[in-house]
């Protein structure tokens, strides 16, 4: 009988669990309900995927975004796991076939949009073949005190109670106040749950704030940064749709492959932008906070906030979309005093303005964000203290502790004309300095070829961190390939020989 360690290594290709993962998996396997608060990029997916592969019955994963379902199912299939999703992107025929396959027991993991829980055909299927476990992703959506309230999440509790026997429940969220956590327990009907709060520190993320750069100076700085980050994948967050459009146009005019994403765009255009970004056809995405919840792209190397966000929860969740494969990543905030007035206006004219108490809390959260953007001291400490963790005295990996990562040459280049800037700023290698950059690029080229042939994002084949580990360990046999982080048994069978040949030719 396979153990959780066997699944971790053999299926997903990892030698050890991240902090908090094993405790959550053990609690779930013992039959306990779980409320898990884990940071973005903290590895919450494995906390329900591994238990699903250790038991006979199916696991339902309730998720709010169709894009996340597609990514998660695609990644699972790349690892040899039978999985499917049920949401509005399927045609009636595809939905019926997926439901029939699920009824026959074909899938171990089934991702479900919350809106499906009330449909008669799905309820009939679930009653006939009830799940062993249910995982609720982005569980804060159940609470009206959460930032992403979804009324359909209120159907989860009644759905669970309607089943012929009650499955084990696990609720996951990246950020949640005590009030939201209480709502999650009560509204989902969690029974005496194990409460697991993961470590919020992400050591591979470098945080930095550049102050006082507004207007055209901010644009020049952003273009210089894009020259420095050329070849890498990243997200630029803006406060408004208008700013997204203007920044995207500016980047394209400067020769940067950029897409855009905001709620004012047609659905098909938003979907096309997201797909192009996921497949690395478009390396940079300019977006409002409408983009990101549940995004599973692992090779995002930088997050730049062109404008200051409205609160630290949003900032840390958005910044946490960088470096999900464990590679070093840059999280940069470009702050200008005008951002404060923009944020105050958005608050006073937004949904929070209807409720005096909600308005008061939103203004309080903004003051904390302003303090982060304008104050001194360790940036990591400010973030961790906000989430209730004891911070280090000096982290050594933020702009205030280790010194700015954005070099003086780049800041100087930002003041120069475009032709001068291009000559002064040299792009960084995407691989770490500890690996052979030429070999890394050859492996990336092969990865892109394999991905395009299969019509999947490149990171689903292997992450950047996996390619870097491949360079460092330089396996000479397929058996040795299994020692590379992120390479499981299925991927060795599917891709091992081709990647091994590149390594042997080096």
């Amino acid at each position: 009988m396979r153990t959780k360690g066997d699944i971790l290594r053999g299926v997903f290709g990892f030698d050890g669990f991240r902090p908090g993962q094993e405790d959550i998996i053990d609690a779930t396997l013992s039959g306990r309900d779980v409320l898990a608060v884990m940071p973005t990029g903290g590895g919450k997916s494995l906390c329900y995927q591994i238990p699903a592969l250790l038991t006979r019955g199916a696991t339902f994963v309730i998720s709010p975004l169709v894009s996340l379902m597609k990514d998660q199912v695609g990644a699972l299939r790349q690892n040899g796991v039978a999985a499917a999703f049920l949401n509005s992107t399927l045609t009636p025929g595809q939905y019926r076939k997926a439901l029939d396959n699920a009824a026959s027991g074909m899938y171990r993991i089934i991702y479900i949009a919350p809106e499906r829980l009330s449909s008669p055909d799905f309820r009939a299927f679930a009653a006939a073949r009830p799940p062993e476990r249910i995982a609720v992703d982005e569980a804060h959506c159940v609470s009206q005190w959460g930032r992403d309230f979804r009324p359909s999440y209120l159907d989860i509790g009644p759905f669970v109670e309607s089943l012929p026997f009650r499955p084990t429940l696990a609720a996951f969220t990246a950020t949640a106040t005590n009030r939201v956590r209480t709502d999650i327990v009560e509204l989902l009907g969690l029974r005496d749950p194990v409460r697991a709060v993961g470590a919020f520190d992400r050591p591979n993320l470098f945080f930095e704030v550049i102050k006082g750069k507004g207007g055209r100076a901010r644009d020049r700085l952003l273009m210089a940064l894009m020259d420095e980050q050329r070849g890498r994948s990243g997200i630029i967050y803006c406060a408004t749709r208008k700013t997204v459009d203007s920044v995207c146009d500016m980047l394209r005019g400067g020769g940067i492959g950029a897409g855009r994403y905001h709620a004012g765009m047609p659905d098909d255009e938003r979907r096309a932008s997201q797909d192009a970004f996921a497949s690395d056809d478009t390396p940079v995405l300019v977006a409002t906070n409408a983009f990101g919840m549940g995004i599973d792209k692992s090779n995002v190397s930088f997050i730049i906030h062109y404008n200051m966000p409205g609160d630290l929860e949003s900032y840390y969740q958005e910044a946490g979309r960088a470096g999900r494969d464990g590679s070093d990543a840059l999280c940069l905030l470009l702050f200008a005093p005008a951002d404060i007035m923009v944020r105050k206006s958005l608050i006073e004219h937004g949904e929070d303005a209807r409720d005096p108490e909600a308005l008061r809390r939103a203004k309080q959260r903004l003051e904390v964000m302003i303090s982060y953007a304008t104050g001194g001291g360790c940036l990591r400490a400010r973030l961790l203290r906000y989430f209730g963790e004891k911070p280090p005295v000096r982290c050594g990996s933020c702009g205030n502790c280790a010194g700015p990562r954005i070099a003086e040459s780049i800041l100087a280049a930002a003041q120069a004309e475009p032709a001068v800037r291009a000559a002064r700023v040299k792009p960084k290698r995407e691989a770490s300095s500890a690996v052979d950059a030429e070999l890394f690029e050859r492996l990336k080229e092969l990865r892109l070829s394999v991905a395009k042939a299969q019509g999947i994002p490149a990171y689903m084949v292997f992450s950047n961190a996996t390619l870097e580990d491949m360079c460092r360990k330089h396996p000479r046999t397929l058996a040795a390939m299994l020692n590379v982080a992120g390479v499981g048994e299925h991927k060795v069978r599917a891709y091992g020989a081709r990647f091994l040949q590149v390594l042997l030719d080096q």
Side-chain angles (χ1 to χ4, degrees):
M1 182 177 177
R2 301 187 84 178
T3 67
K4 61 191 176 188
D6 294 334
I7 299 294
L8 181 69
R9 175 66 261 175
V11 176
F12 298 102
F14 300 113
D15 289 324
F17 290 101
R18 294 186 187 181
Q21 284 181 323
E22 193 167 14
D23 291 340
I24 294 170
I25 291 169
D26 287 342
T28 299
L29 288 172
S30 71
R32 294 286 304 276
D33 285 358
V34 174
L35 170 60
V37 183
M38 303 177 73
T40 301
K44 62 183 176 180
S45 299
L46 288 183
C47 294
Y48 54 78
Q49 290 172 350
I50 288 178
L53 299 182
L54 287 171
T55 48
R56 290 185 177 181
T59 291
F60 290 175
V61 182
I62 298 172
S63 173
L65 291 182
V66 296
S67 58
L68 172 65
M69 297 183 203
K70 181 180 178 181
D71 286 354
Q72 292 276 13
V73 169
L76 284 168
R77 289 176 177 172
Q78 285 297 304
N79 283 316
V81 177
F85 57 81
L86 300 172
N87 60 41
S88 59
T89 66
L90 300 177
T91 65
Q94 289 172 330
Y95 178 78
R96 186 71 255 167
K97 182 176 180 180
L99 209 58
D100 289 344
N101 289 342
S104 70
M106 180 180 293
Y107 307 124
R108 305 297 298 277
I109 302 175
I110 305 170
Y111 285 80
I112 303 156
E115 291 78 12
R116 289 285 156 181
L117 300 180
S118 58
S119 67
D121 54 352
F122 179 78
R123 290 179 77 94
F125 152 71
R129 197 176 182 92
E132 184 130 351
R133 293 188 177 83
I134 292 179
V136 182
D137 204 3
E138 309 292 352
H140 59 273
C141 292
V142 78
S143 173
Q144 294 196 39
W145 298 99
R147 290 179 292 106
D148 302 300
F149 174 63
R150 290 276 290 267
S152 56
Y153 262 58
L154 296 174
D155 294 332
I156 298 174
F159 169 75
V160 172
E161 294 302 318
S162 74
L163 295 171
F165 68 83
R166 185 184 183 278
T168 302
L169 295 184
F172 297 87
T173 182
T175 57
T177 63
N178 287 332
R179 188 165 192 169
V180 172
R181 294 179 199 180
T182 298
D183 272 0
I184 291 171
V185 172
E186 292 180 355
L187 295 173
L188 294 182
L190 301 182
R191 297 180 181 176
D192 187 28
V194 173
R195 297 171 185 256
V197 180
F200 273 77
D201 193 12
R202 296 276 306 284
N204 62 315
L205 302 185
F206 188 97
F207 294 93
E208 187 170 346
V209 177
I210 296 181
K211 303 172 185 175
K213 301 292 181 182
R216 296 187 65 184
R218 176 152 45 187
D219 289 342
R220 289 193 296 269
L221 175 59
L222 181 63
M223 291 304 298
L225 287 167
M226 289 300 96
D227 283 334
E228 192 259 356
Q229 297 290 332
R230 194 177 293 271
R232 294 184 172 190
S233 179
I235 305 171
I236 300 170
Y237 279 106
C238 302
T240 66
R241 301 173 186 179
K242 181 179 179 181
T243 306
V244 166
D245 291 338
S246 64
V247 168
C248 184
D249 289 344
M250 178 181 69
L251 294 180
R252 290 173 175 172
I256 304 296
R260 64 188 185 119
Y261 189 104
H262 59 66
M265 297 164 56
D267 289 346
D268 56 346
E269 187 179 345
R270 280 205 312 272
R271 194 176 302 114
S273 290
Q274 180 163 314
D275 288 346
F277 179 62
S279 64
D280 289 327
D281 288 336
T282 301
V284 178
L285 192 68
V286 187
T288 61
N289 60 5
F291 177 80
M293 185 173 68
I295 296 304
D296 200 32
K297 192 173 193 290
S298 66
N299 66 332
V300 174
S301 297
F302 65 88
I303 301 288
I304 296 175
H305 279 82
Y306 183 85
N307 306 110
M308 181 186 68
D311 54 69
L312 274 185
E313 292 102 327
S314 299
Y315 177 70
Y316 199 57
Q317 190 172 47
E318 290 159 7
R321 287 165 191 143
R324 295 181 68 143
D325 63 0
S327 299
D328 289 344
L330 176 66
C331 302
L332 184 64
L333 170 60
L334 310 183
F335 172 76
D339 291 345
I340 297 175
M341 297 307 299
V342 171
R343 281 296 167 191
K344 286 183 176 179
S345 177
L346 290 172
I347 290 172
E348 289 167 358
H349 294 89
E351 291 185 5
D352 288 334
R354 303 173 188 174
D355 181 341
E357 177 60 19
L359 181 62
R360 183 186 66 82
R361 289 197 310 274
K363 289 181 176 179
Q364 283 183 336
R365 291 195 299 268
L366 176 60
E367 289 304 317
V368 175
M369 186 70 239
I370 293 170
S371 178
Y372 174 89
T374 60
C378 176
L379 295 175
R380 189 177 304 276
R382 285 178 174 271
L383 290 166
L384 295 181
R385 195 178 295 116
Y386 183 81
F387 291 109
E389 289 195 20
K390 185 176 181 180
V393 176
R394 185 179 181 86
C395 75
S397 57
C398 79
N400 290 351
C401 290
R405 179 169 289 185
I406 303 306
E408 290 297 324
S409 62
I410 297 171
L411 296 176
Q415 309 303 318
E417 293 301 315
V420 178
R421 182 178 69 238
R424 293 177 66 176
V425 179
K426 296 181 180 179
K428 287 186 177 179
R429 283 193 329 216
E430 189 165 348
S432 73
S433 59
V435 305
D436 183 324
E438 182 180 346
L439 176 58
F440 180 77
E441 289 302 321
R442 290 180 63 196
L443 292 172
K444 278 182 62 183
E445 289 172 6
L446 174 57
R447 177 182 66 177
L448 183 60
S449 174
V450 169
K452 285 189 177 298
Q454 295 195 35
I456 60 174
Y459 68 87
M460 282 189 185
V461 178
F462 291 124
S463 70
N464 285 351
T466 294
L467 295 186
E468 290 186 7
D469 200 40
M470 214 176 277
C471 291
R472 281 189 291 267
K473 292 176 178 172
H474 218 292
R476 315 299 290 179
T477 66
L478 289 177
M481 186 77 81
L482 285 169
N483 294 322
V484 175
V487 180
E489 296 165 357
H490 185 80
K491 287 191 174 182
V492 164
R493 290 193 295 269
Y495 311 127
R498 297 178 65 179
F499 281 85
L500 186 63
Q501 190 59 55
V502 172
L503 294 163
L504 292 174
D505 288 344
Q506 182 68 13

